[in-house]
Amino acid sequence: MAGNRTFTMIKPDAFEAGNTGAIFKMIEAAGFNIVAMKATRLTPELAGKFYAVHSERPFYKDLCAYMSSGPIVAAILEKANAVEDFRTLIGATNPAQAAEGTIRKIFAKSIEANAVHGSDSDENAAIEGNFFFNQAERVR
Ligand code: ATP
Ligand code: MG
């Protein structure tokens, strides 16, 4: 059975552009409840740990620099079928290929500065949520 939690970040491009509120408005309108949320900032080291699965990819170094270039908002979200439904809501990695009406289609600037992160599996949703939040920081 699919899990009911996913993890997201408002990435530095969207935070800097002042789109955090508009993006969370879309997230809540799509039926997701907020379990935990905070504005924070990744160091290059923390960004490297978070995206360690991509350490062999050619874009890894740039990705770590970009993700630590400014504040982000991290959040745990709850909804039935959360991981899959959230990835549908955000759209394809490359905004040029993202479906109309998706968060990345509306707010992303490029394939790298693509406005939001969404976990790709229940297992990674739990790992990523635990990366940013302890139990006391969760309201559900
Ligand atoms: P995310 O994990 O952030 O939700 P995703 O699952 O859609 O995004 P991944 O393949 O996991 O995509 O890539 C992680 C992130 O690395 C992307 O969101 C993007 O910021 C960056 N990225 C991916 N592919 C490229 C690329 N070809 N060039 C530059 N940056 C890229
Ligand atoms: Mg991913």
Side-chain angles (χ1 to χ4, degrees), residues 51 54 87 93 104 117-120 128:
Y51 281 112
H54 295 309
R87 289 191 63 101
T93 308
R104 283 172 169 164
H117 166 80
S119 303
D120 61 9
E128 292 169 0

Side-chain angles (χ1 to χ4, degrees), residues 17-57:
N19 290 327
T20 300
I23 292 172
F24 273 101
K25 188 170 182 177
M26 286 181 68
I27 290 171
E28 290 188 310
F32 291 87
N33 291 318
I34 293 165
V35 174
M37 178 159 76
K38 68 179 162 200
T40 184
R41 188 169 174 153
L42 290 168
T43 61
E45 291 71 29
L46 283 173
K49 273 188 197 161
F50 186 85
Y51 281 112
V53 316
H54 295 309
S55 59
E56 302 304 318
R57 309 277 288 274

Side-chain angles (χ1 to χ4, degrees), residues 72-118:
I72 60 153
V73 174
I76 298 172
L77 304 172
E78 190 168 73
K79 178 188 181 298
N81 201 36
V83 166
E84 187 183 349
D85 286 3
F86 192 71
R87 289 191 63 101
T88 301
L89 178 66
I90 67 178
T93 308
N94 184 348
Q97 284 153 16
E100 287 301 327
T102 59
I103 290 173
R104 283 172 169 164
K105 184 70 176 188
I106 295 167
F107 296 106
K109 295 187 163 48
S110 68
I111 190 170
E112 178 182 75
N114 59 2
V116 279
H117 166 80

